Amino acid sequence: MNPGGRAAVPGLPFGGSTLPPGPAGGISMPGDGGPGAERPTVTMASYPDYSGAQQAVDFLADNRFPVERTAIIGTNLALVETVLGRLTTARASLAGAATGAWFGLFIGLLFGIFTVGNWWAVIVAGLLIGAAWGAIFGAIAHASTGGRRDFTSAATLRAREYAVTVDADLADQARNLLSRMNWQPANAR
């Protein structure tokens, strides 16, 4: 840890402050609390779905509120695994073949760049070889589970409530803006 309390990033000055912000905003380090964590915040409103919280922040942005000092915080997280269907050895082989075909296509394109002759044949051969090996490995991987997981699924992380928070020094301004839309701000937490 550095004097500011932030974790040091190897190869960068203390705290990694030279890292550029990502597509979702600023970068926060594990245990850091995120951007603006050192400032006190006030919960303005809570919504049962993300779109409600998003509309509130969008309304604030439309009214020239400094939204870089707001946050949408999902609470009461739940992992939801949706079962998509039964997984058989044939389905596992088919999925493996699809993945292998993509990889084979990539390798075929790489070799095709350096081929003097028929480069289409190299690409098609890479695709077919990749699909065959993918199917074999997909079947072996499924068979090795011994029937312990004979289904496919997709897991998502969902929040039961989304709170819109703002820095405490801007709470009155945000409360006034949100009340113009007949939205009742939540009590400060």
Side-chain angles (χ1 to χ4, degrees):
M1 294 293 251
N2 67 19
R6 294 184 68 167
V9 176
L12 293 176
F14 281 117
S17 61
T18 60
L19 290 173
I27 294 176
S28 61
M29 300 304 293
D32 182 24
E38 59 278 350
R39 296 188 299 254
T41 60
V42 175
T43 300
M44 289 287 99
S46 295
Y47 301 91
D49 57 6
Y50 180 76
S51 65
Q54 186 179 7
Q55 287 173 350
V57 174
D58 186 51
F59 178 76
L60 291 172
D62 290 345
N63 286 281
R64 310 235 186 281
F65 183 83
V67 291
E68 64 274 5
R69 304 217 10 222
T70 65
I72 298 175
I73 302 172
T75 57
N76 297 328
L77 299 177
L79 177 66
V80 179
E81 186 173 8
T82 305
V83 177
L84 301 174
R86 182 165 162 62
L87 183 63
T88 62
T89 304
R91 280 187 139 184
S93 294
L94 187 60
T99 303
W102 278 111
F103 184 70
L105 177 65
F106 173 71
I107 298 298
L109 286 170
L110 284 178
F111 283 135
I113 292 171
F114 302 107
T115 301
V116 179
N118 187 359
W119 64 277
W120 279 106
V122 173
I123 293 171
V124 170
L127 189 134
L128 293 175
I129 292 169
W133 280 107
I136 291 168
F137 284 119
I140 291 172
H142 176 67
S144 70
T145 65
R148 286 186 305 270
R149 187 168 170 98
D150 285 340
F151 63 92
T152 60
S153 63
T156 57
L157 194 60
R158 295 185 189 157
R160 297 188 201 275
E161 183 179 68
Y162 296 88
V164 175
T165 63
V166 299
D167 288 356
D169 58 332
L170 296 172
D172 290 334
Q173 181 184 358
R175 192 174 289 115
N176 290 335
L177 285 171
L178 290 175
S179 67
R180 277 201 259 155
M181 288 195 65
N182 295 325
W183 290 354
Q184 299 301 315
N187 292 332
R189 292 183 190 178

